[in-house]
Amino acid sequence: MEYGVSWYPEHKTAADFQHDLDLLGASGFTVVRMAEFAWTCLEPEEGRYTFDWLDQAIDALGDRGIRSILCTPTACPPAWLSAEHPDILYMDNRGVRRPHGGRRSYCYSHPVYREHAARIGAEMARRYGRHPHVLGFQLDNEPAQEGTGRCHCPVCQDAFRIWLKRRFGSVEALNQAGGMVFWNQTYTRFDQVALPVNTIEVQATDLIQAYFENPSLRLWAERFASEQQIEFQNIQVRAMRPETDKPITTNATGLATNSIDAYASCRTLDFYAFDYYPSLLDPISVAPYAFARGVKRQPFWLLEFVSGGGHRLSGSGRSQAWPGALQQSVVHAAANDAALVAHFQFRTFPFGAEQLNYAIVDADGVPRRRFRECSDTAEVLRKLSPWLDNSALDSRVALLFDYDALWALHMKPVNPDFTPLGYLEQLVRELASFGVSADILDARQIPETPKQYRLVVLPALIVFDRESQARLKAYAASGGHVVASFLTSVKNRDNVGYKEPLPSGLQDLFGLAVAEVDPVFPHTVSAVETTGATATCGQTASWLECLELDGAEAWAVVAEGFRRGAAVVARNRFGAGQSWYCGTRLSGAMARAFWQTVLAEAALLVPELTVPLPEGCQLLWRTHRDGTPLLFAFNFTRQDQSIALNGSFTLAVGTQLEQTALSPALDAASCSPAVSLDKAMLKLGPFRWALLRSL
Ligand code: GAL
């Protein structure tokens, strides 16, 4: 487990450099991330390299036992390059170029910028690719962040036309695939096609209100822009690989930005790495971790992680963490399979766009509470290492994720109340409340058998192709359990609706067809009942599908009104497996009852957890190499919490408390006031955690 921070030696006076080094040396950090915005310091004019300051930083850190992650500096083009080639600058969907002076001001398609990016990357790899104190490389910084994932410059327009031509061959085929006959959008030549002005991008949506461009063209444009950025990344990967055998990755934005297909981008990268800034006052959402684990089906890196509160870039403040919360958040990430966690960042900047922003150490360089908590955390991670290194998370549930489906639902949301990511988070959270971890997998990679993943969940996969339909059925036939929500398999990959009853291609799997769909608004809410319980599908229900059963058995039906008795949730047997179709967004007690049944039937209920977890607490199981279950418990609340556990445990590592690996059954008297355990009850103070080992 690597633990560290971002650090900016290029900002430092000689005295600050030395002061920071002393603190870093004392911190217990094992890794420092540098240089992502330092192009001009590395190359003040084209072809003249000044790497000595970075050499010095890497060596000085290495002398203190700290390895470096070096970032290619392409997120901020140097002024000399922007001035010489103003057409490398990013153009947004209004046709406005980003001037030099902020960051991420470049076009990822531009051949000149691509050439310079590959060159500086190769130069860094040549110099540091075999350096003993260098751990690996990060490309760029948060690609597509801050609304820079959908360039509309002339180079991108041309590239889009070429992309379409390559895909469709003829303009007639394009017209056919996208239904361009609608509203007279038929093209007669490729050069008539332009990138749609409306994009789904965060901070760039709805340029022209009520201008409904062709949804197929829009989806192709999203996919095109994602591929262009992946190619920008891969050009650098190809330039650097021959010079280094160290890992190369980039710091993606997890589930925040979503304008680059992470599964596709990671094919050429060694790790999935992302940046995460959860609030430390609230329970940390595990959905980004479920996603990060699923991207490459391996542990991931957190290259930027929250470091506390104070000022922030947007101008609005960020709350400080309670004592213990910062440490708990790092342990929580590690338990969730982060192999590296690096805080952003070490020492508050006095200047620049991020002046006075939160950091581990304030601008005055005095190490205070956050620094001390990080040092303690470094020590705790050393104690946790043998446990983490010798255990695995072993998720048994796979949620499927598809960018086309996500983008399609952003373009045409079925209900302003519904966001596909919000729904995904909800499902991960509901599963986690049963102590069940999930991985979020690429929908194009449906497992063949239930060997690892016993349950596969489709959350509103409105775009679902024929191949995936066949794979899903093969998975269920071989004994897998499947849960699909409303809005499953409605459209093909060109964002065109299937002309057959829904869920298209999956009626036999679910033993039903969708009879009628209805958005759920506050004034149209209806109750749904199941054996023993009635629940109102509140405003959060978002959508209702009434089902015509053909082999399936109803689990929940509409309880009132003209649809009374209509099936909404149904289960079906399929081959050796079982499938569930959930025609509305369940919540509260009914969602709990639903998962209780599904998980029980898939043999996924955790025997140690028989009582619901207190609100704001999380449990996470890992399996030790010797087969023993390890249990991480977290309290993300500001109160003491008691977690009832069924079974006997010993405390392995806990906040302010540690016993050796094979300690005898816990002696409650030896516990710190913050964590204690008796046979049935784990008590955790505010923002305290513990690692338990099953006896
Ligand atoms: C990230 C970014 C960092 C820094 C940080 C501030 O998105 O990669 O460079 O700006 O936010 O909170």
Side-chain angles (χ1 to χ4, degrees):
M1 171 83 198
E2 301 286 347
Y3 183 46
V5 272
S6 299
W7 185 49
Y8 298 87
E10 72 275 22
H11 297 182
K12 308 288 169 185
T13 61
D16 283 340
F17 182 80
Q18 196 50 51
H19 179 83
D20 284 9
L21 274 177
D22 291 343
L23 285 180
L24 285 164
S27 65
F29 288 133
T30 60
V31 70
V32 158
R33 168 181 168 271
M34 298 187 285
E36 77 275 27
F37 304 121
W39 196 332
T40 307
C41 296
L42 294 168
E43 191 188 9
E45 58 191 70
E46 187 171 346
R48 183 163 72 81
Y49 299 107
T50 48
F51 284 19
D52 39 321
W53 62 272
L54 191 54
D55 298 348
Q56 200 195 341
I58 296 167
D59 290 342
L61 290 165
D63 291 346
R64 287 159 179 80
I66 298 173
R67 287 192 292 169
S68 296
I69 291 181
L70 301 181
C71 310
T72 64
T74 50
C76 293
W80 54 258
L81 186 53
S82 308
E84 197 181 324
H85 296 283
D87 53 338
I88 63 158
L89 295 170
Y90 185 89
M91 185 180 278
D92 70 16
N93 56 346
R94 297 165 302 169
V96 175
R97 290 223 189 244
R98 293 203 170 198
H100 185 89
R103 65 174 166 182
R104 307 210 44 74
S105 48
Y106 67 85
C107 162
Y108 40 77
S109 300
H110 202 289
V112 169
Y113 199 61
R114 286 180 166 193
E115 195 188 309
H116 281 278
R119 186 178 50 75
I120 189 73
E123 205 58 41
M124 289 180 82
R126 209 166 293 132
R127 190 164 184 109
Y128 302 115
R130 322 261 170 215
H131 196 298
H133 298 324
V134 171
L135 174 63
F137 293 94
Q138 172 192 307
L139 302 174
D140 203 85
N141 188 73
E142 292 190 343
Q145 162 77 339
E146 288 158 358
T148 58
R150 297 294 179 260
C151 183
H152 281 67
C153 78
V155 172
C156 285
Q157 298 284 7
D158 283 346
F160 183 48
R161 291 174 196 123
I162 292 167
W163 187 91
L164 289 171
K165 197 166 183 181
R166 211 173 279 143
R167 183 182 161 90
F168 294 105
S170 70
V171 78
E172 291 75 22
L174 176 149
N175 287 330
Q176 180 68 29
M180 298 302 168
V181 65
F182 190 81
W183 282 0
N184 194 32
Q185 286 164 359
T186 304
Y187 297 104
T188 50
R189 289 195 324 262
F190 276 103
D191 61 11
Q192 296 157 349
V193 188
L195 284 161
V197 293
N198 289 318
T199 84
I200 57 96
E201 190 168 42
V202 182
Q203 293 152 341
T205 40
D206 286 345
L207 171 66
I208 306 178
Q209 293 289 330
Y211 189 57
F212 302 105
E213 293 164 290
N214 180 281
S216 300
L217 195 71
R218 288 189 65 182
L219 188 62
W220 298 329
E222 297 296 334
R223 211 180 293 149
F224 156 78
S226 168
E227 287 179 18
Q228 288 298 101
Q229 290 169 91
I230 294 171
E231 182 54 14
F232 175 72
Q233 161 200 296
N234 287 344
I235 284 171
Q236 296 167 69
V237 174
R238 288 195 290 272
M240 293 171 72
R241 284 280 184 220
E243 312 293 343
T244 182
D245 48 13
K246 297 189 191 281
I248 300 177
T249 185
T250 185
N251 58 336
T253 50
L255 289 172
T257 313
N258 302 307
S259 45
I260 300 178
D261 178 336
Y263 301 102
S265 113
C266 270
R267 276 181 210 130
T268 54
L269 302 177
D270 297 293
F271 282 92
Y272 178 69
F274 79 111
D275 297 350
Y276 193 23
Y277 289 85
S279 155
L280 294 178
L281 292 184
D282 303 305
I284 295 180
S285 166
V286 288
Y289 296 145
F291 178 72
R293 276 194 304 272
V295 173
K296 278 188 90 73
R297 311 261 304 255
Q298 67 182 35
F300 56 89
W301 285 2
L302 268 176
L303 280 168
E304 284 183 26
F305 191 59
V306 63
S307 63
H311 301 261
R312 82 200 287 193
L313 176 59
S314 60
S316 58
R318 172 183 280 278
S319 299
Q320 289 290 3
W322 274 42
L326 194 56
Q327 176 176 124
Q328 170 163 261
S329 69
V330 174
V331 172
H332 179 251
N336 271 287
D337 258 0
L340 178 151
V341 177
H343 294 290
F344 185 86
Q345 52 107 6
F346 187 59
R347 185 166 164 188
T348 298
F349 309 121
F351 44 55
E354 300 210 66
Q355 60 180 180
L356 309 185
N357 266 16
Y358 49 76
I360 300 298
V361 175
D362 297 318
D364 61 10
V366 178
R368 299 193 174 91
R369 176 166 79 91
R370 292 187 301 279
F371 179 84
R372 287 193 296 275
E373 193 162 317
C374 286
S375 303
D376 286 352
T377 304
E379 185 54 31
V380 162
L381 290 175
R382 265 192 291 282
K383 288 173 185 159
L384 277 176
S385 262
W387 297 97
L388 290 167
D389 296 350
N390 291 306
S391 65
L393 191 67
D394 280 342
S395 301
R396 296 279 182 233
V397 179
L399 285 108
L400 302 184
F401 186 90
D402 189 283
Y403 283 92
D404 286 344
L406 179 77
W407 295 332
L409 276 170
H410 268 281
M411 285 167 206
K412 245 173 140 33
V414 296
N415 182 335
D417 195 41
F418 181 72
T419 66
L421 284 173
Y423 185 49
L424 183 72
E425 290 240 0
Q426 176 189 334
L427 297 178
V428 174
R429 196 171 51 242
E430 285 168 358
L431 289 163
S433 74
F434 286 90
V436 171
S437 294
D439 294 346
I440 300 177
L441 303 187
D442 186 348
R444 289 162 297 198
Q445 306 287 314
I446 296 172
E448 279 172 20
T449 68
K451 196 161 164 265
Q452 182 182 348
Y453 297 104
R454 265 187 252 156
L455 171 63
V456 164
V457 182
L458 284 71
L461 291 190
I462 193 165
V463 171
F464 203 63
D465 56 39
R466 296 285 182 216
E467 206 184 318
S468 304
Q469 294 164 3
R471 276 168 172 262
L472 188 66
K473 289 198 263 193
Y475 166 79
S478 71
H481 290 239
V482 175
V483 169
S485 77
F486 49 94
L487 296 172
T488 288
S489 199
V490 178
K491 306 200 234 179
N492 68 16
R493 289 223 177 259
D494 290 319
N495 210 7
V496 169
Y498 287 118
K499 289 191 286 182
E500 61 198 48
L502 302 177
S504 171
L506 299 172
Q507 288 172 62
D508 49 347
L509 170 59
F510 295 104
L512 51 82
V514 174
E516 188 166 73
V517 301
D518 204 358
V520 179
F521 300 118
H523 60 287
T524 64
V525 163
S526 37
V528 167
E529 67 187 0
T530 183
T531 342
T534 303
T536 304
C537 279
Q539 202 178 340
T540 52
S542 308
W543 191 253
L544 180 75
E545 292 181 1
C546 291
L547 311 173
E548 223 163 59
L549 304 186
D550 180 14
E553 172 200 336
W555 183 83
V557 298
V558 178
E560 60 188 10
F562 76 94
R563 291 199 178 106
R564 192 180 161 76
V568 175
V569 182
R571 64 178 346 147
N572 191 38
R573 292 236 143 256
F574 187 80
Q578 163 127 256
S579 67
W580 293 82
Y581 193 89
C582 193
T584 194
R585 183 179 189 173
L586 301 174
S587 58
M590 192 159 279
R592 200 163 166 90
F594 175 72
W595 285 118
Q596 176 88 32
T597 316
V598 171
L599 294 172
E601 290 189 5
L604 287 168
L605 281 179
V606 174
E608 291 88 346
L609 187 62
T610 47
V611 182
L613 276 171
E615 193 68 27
C617 290
Q618 289 180 18
L619 292 182
L620 194 138
W621 270 260
R622 296 178 66 95
T623 310
H624 196 274
R625 196 175 282 197
D626 67 10
T628 321
L630 299 179
L631 173 56
F632 278 90
F634 302 96
N635 175 5
F636 291 108
T637 74
R638 297 168 219 182
Q639 291 86 35
D640 290 339
Q641 298 287 358
S642 296
I643 301 176
L645 292 169
N646 180 28
S648 302
F649 297 89
T650 180
L651 192 67
V653 186
T655 315
Q656 299 167 9
L657 170 81
E658 186 235 343
Q659 296 197 340
T660 52
L662 295 165
S663 65
L666 191 82
D667 165 14
S670 71
C671 293
S672 84
V675 180
S676 69
L677 176 77
D678 64 32
K679 279 262 151 73
M681 203 60 92
L682 172 68
K683 297 204 167 81
L684 293 172
F687 300 102
R688 302 289 142 171
W689 61 275
L691 169 58
L692 308 180
R693 179 177 194 272
S694 185
L695 285 176

